[in-house]
Amino acid sequence: MKADHSYAELITRSGEAATLASCSALLGWDEQTYMPHAGAEHRGRQMAALAGLHHEKATHPRIGELLGELEGSDLTADPESVSAVNVRELRRNFDRLTRLPRRLVEELARVTSIGQQEWVEARRLKDFGVLRPTLETIFALKRDEAACLRIGDDPYDSLLDEYEPGARGDALARLFGALRDGLVPIVAEILGAGRPSSSTVLNRDYPVDRQRIFGEAIAVAVGFDFRRGRLDTTAHPFCTMIGPGDCRITTRFDPRDLGDGVFGILHEVGHGLYDQGLDPAHFGTPMGEAVSLGVHESQSRLWENLVGRGRAFWSYAFPMARQVFHDVLHDVDADEFHRAVNLVEPSLVRVRADEVTYNLHVIIRFELERALLAGDLDVSELCGAWDDAYASVLGLRPPDDALGCLQDIHWSAGLVGYFPTYTLGNLYAAQLFDRFVADEGDPSGAFARGDFDPLLAWLRDRVHRHGRRYPPAQLIERATGSPLDHRPFLAALARKYGPLYGVRLAPAP
């Protein structure tokens, strides 16, 4: 009976901390969508105050006492039970947060809030110098954070563990090395194929108001519930879960690039479907939270690429696109459009990268942020190192800072260790989709009819409903029957792009 009371108090305290975090999430969403630029300094103070309150509540000594009472009790006897999962994961959170001084938490919240606004201005001016002093401060603070957390010998692991629990930098470096070795010949074969392909049909005049109509229609088609969510515009697309019944997705629209808005929406909808698939009854506890950013990213990449860039999807969506953009697409057929959205071409911008070269962008960022955190690369040297990496890996050199090291908001927001989760998401997505096809059969016919319910139901059963019941690697292995492996992703690329480009792509090594 005492354990029951202790557990009820623990869950109440967890819910109170989650409510404070949701207030910060709402302010963060507003900062990126509607807040006036001049409000940055005050928003920084607001975010710092909330971060301090959240830290105080989440590290209250009483939580440690409650966890001590519950660990080893009957409520934790079954490690997969709701109560056992919540106790285990709240212990993990408590131990992590209690290592961080409140002053550091508040300062990180304040500086990164300002940094994100400076990033917007730096991008506008194409001048890294606007952001550089604040970014130097951010990386110094992140080194302090890593030193406090002390997870493993590599400071990077302490930050990576927040986004992908259990992942380690050295292991990812080996995995990404094998992936790069497999990607390089695929890219070379495709680029050497000589088969003409172009994305010009995406670069016609697409009115933004009609792009939004079309984007919302496909979001609804794949399952996003606008009664419990909304779509807004921002400089850098994102999805944020404010709380039960309130999931915010964003995109950006370019009147001369249909793909930027449409695939931005599909990507963020994938995140939103995961958030809307979590059990609202468990809000405020680990069982009501996504297990990791890598798994979260698997959902966005699966819907964006494995569904949204598939021929069956456009059998359904292209007739709708021609209705919405009749004057623009009247001379284009579905096959031409499908080839356009699957153009493989090295580019400078990660979020606009094709499915084949995308992970090379991520690997560059992973290597740079590890070097920045370790002190092997100074922030003042970042632009040059970035440009050299792009020239070496993708054969392109950015013409300015906006297309170079300023294209992502992550570091200005303090999200060091986040980038690897994008590639992990791609690898997880390939394994999940392969398993779905093995379990349910070829979904092409259903997709062509606009029926995406079987896939969403399968993901809800295998991924969404479990919250943080299993660590990320275990969740993927349970869902797919196999541990994390880069080869299914490479095999999927070979199956898809070989026929599109008329080349025989070798099986994944």
Side-chain angles (χ1 to χ4, degrees):
M1 184 64 71
K2 182 181 178 181
D4 290 337
H5 288 301
S6 296
Y7 181 72
E9 182 181 348
L10 178 68
I11 296 307
T12 297
R13 288 179 175 273
S14 177
E16 290 171 349
T19 298
L20 273 176
S22 74
C23 293
S24 296
L26 182 59
L27 286 180
W29 168 85
D30 174 73
E31 180 178 342
Q32 298 301 319
T33 51
Y34 296 108
M35 187 191 79
H37 178 72
E41 186 174 346
H42 181 61
R43 182 54 48 87
R45 290 193 292 268
Q46 290 176 312
M47 296 296 278
L50 280 173
L53 288 171
H54 177 270
H55 185 262
E56 179 182 329
K57 191 167 285 289
T59 59
H60 194 284
R62 179 60 178 156
I63 294 178
E65 294 172 3
L66 293 168
L67 289 168
E69 292 171 10
L70 290 165
E71 289 163 334
S73 72
D74 290 344
L75 290 176
T76 60
D78 176 1
E80 295 185 9
S81 69
V82 170
S83 55
V85 171
N86 284 335
V87 169
R88 183 193 73 215
E89 292 300 307
L90 287 172
R91 165 61 77 184
R92 180 180 182 277
N93 293 349
F94 181 76
D95 288 350
R96 182 182 182 90
L97 289 174
T98 51
R99 295 188 184 113
L100 299 176
R102 177 170 175 166
R103 58 170 178 77
L104 175 60
V105 172
E106 291 177 338
E107 184 65 2
L108 269 168
R110 186 189 69 82
V111 173
T112 55
S113 180
I114 293 171
Q116 289 172 78
Q117 293 303 307
E118 290 183 348
W119 170 81
V120 172
E121 184 67 4
R123 269 178 58 93
R124 186 182 70 82
L125 297 174
K126 302 179 182 180
D127 181 5
F128 179 68
V130 172
L131 178 63
R132 175 183 158 185
T134 299
L135 194 62
E136 289 173 341
T137 301
I138 288 171
F139 268 95
L141 291 170
K142 297 305 284 189
R143 290 188 199 100
D144 290 344
E145 180 182 339
C148 292
L149 292 172
R150 304 184 307 278
I151 297 176
D153 297 327
D154 183 351
Y156 188 76
D157 291 347
S158 297
L159 304 184
L160 175 64
D161 193 73
E162 177 179 357
Y163 307 114
E164 198 66 17
R168 296 295 178 261
D170 285 345
L172 289 187
R174 292 190 294 272
L175 175 69
F176 291 175
L179 176 62
R180 178 162 43 195
D181 290 345
L183 284 172
V184 168
I186 290 178
V187 174
E189 285 286 342
I190 290 173
L191 297 182
R195 172 172 287 193
S197 185
S198 172
S199 63
T200 55
V201 299
L202 300 175
N203 304 126
R204 298 178 176 183
D205 292 318
Y206 292 94
V208 167
D209 58 338
R210 295 194 178 191
Q211 287 193 50
R212 185 181 182 105
I213 291 170
F214 178 64
E216 288 183 346
I218 61 175
V220 169
V222 300
F224 188 76
D225 184 355
F226 276 100
R227 296 170 302 174
R228 299 186 292 144
R230 59 179 289 133
L231 170 67
D232 295 275
T233 57
T234 188
H236 192 99
F238 64 92
C239 169
T240 188
M241 183 67 166
I242 307 300
D246 191 355
C247 177
R248 314 283 178 99
I249 60 173
T250 67
T251 194
R252 59 188 177 200
F253 294 110
D254 183 338
R256 294 286 299 175
D257 186 353
L258 179 62
D260 200 18
V262 166
F263 288 104
I265 289 173
L266 274 171
H267 181 95
E268 301 308 332
V269 159
H271 285 303
L273 292 175
Y274 189 178
D275 286 339
Q276 291 184 339
L278 296 169
D279 188 343
H282 292 305
F283 172 74
T285 74
M287 277 298 296
E289 299 172 355
V291 66
S292 76
L293 285 181
V295 175
H296 226 308
E297 194 65 21
S298 76
Q299 304 304 285
S300 61
R301 299 298 283 179
L302 188 153
W303 287 100
E304 176 192 357
N305 289 331
L306 300 180
V307 176
R309 295 184 192 273
R311 182 62 179 85
F313 177 84
W314 288 105
S315 293
Y316 162 73
F318 187 70
M320 180 167 35
R322 288 193 66 177
Q323 285 185 328
V324 177
F325 306 107
H326 179 265
D327 293 344
V328 186
L329 293 174
H330 68 278
D331 60 340
V332 179
D333 63 28
D335 286 333
E336 181 182 359
F337 193 87
H338 178 240
R339 288 194 298 272
V341 302
N342 287 290
L343 173 69
V344 176
E345 184 177 58
S347 65
L348 289 167
V349 181
R350 174 186 63 86
V351 296
R352 295 181 180 177
D354 60 79
E355 191 179 4
V356 179
T357 62
Y358 178 91
N359 292 299
L360 298 175
H361 293 257
V362 176
I363 292 170
I364 288 171
R365 288 155 174 77
F366 165 68
E367 292 173 347
L368 288 174
E369 70 178 8
R370 286 189 85 192
L372 285 165
L373 190 72
D376 297 331
L377 177 68
D378 191 80
V379 170
S380 65
E381 303 169 320
L382 176 59
C383 286
W386 181 291
D387 294 352
D388 290 345
Y390 265 78
S392 173
V393 175
L394 289 160
L396 301 169
R397 187 169 287 275
D400 56 56
D401 293 347
L403 289 172
C405 62
L406 285 175
Q407 65 177 266
D408 297 299
I409 198 172
H410 298 62
W411 292 332
S412 66
L415 303 179
V416 181
Y418 190 120
F419 279 118
T421 66
Y422 289 118
T423 287
L424 287 173
N426 281 323
L427 304 185
Y428 292 156
Q431 289 182 241
L432 287 167
F433 197 74
D434 280 355
R435 184 65 192 196
F436 167 71
V437 173
D439 288 349
E440 305 293 332
D442 184 357
S444 298
F447 288 178
R449 296 189 302 272
D451 182 7
F452 305 98
D453 289 347
L455 174 58
L456 182 56
W458 189 90
L459 291 170
R460 291 259 158 92
D461 178 63
R462 297 296 182 96
V463 178
H464 304 175
R465 72 181 179 89
H466 293 294
R468 287 165 60 181
R469 175 175 280 122
Y470 308 110
Q474 185 180 349
L475 176 70
I476 294 300
E477 186 164 1
R478 288 177 65 94
T480 68
S482 302
L484 173 62
D485 190 343
H486 67 288
R487 291 171 295 183
F489 175 76
L490 294 174
L493 294 183
R495 288 194 303 270
K496 178 178 180 179
Y497 289 93
L500 273 173
Y501 280 84
V503 293
R504 185 181 181 279
L505 298 175

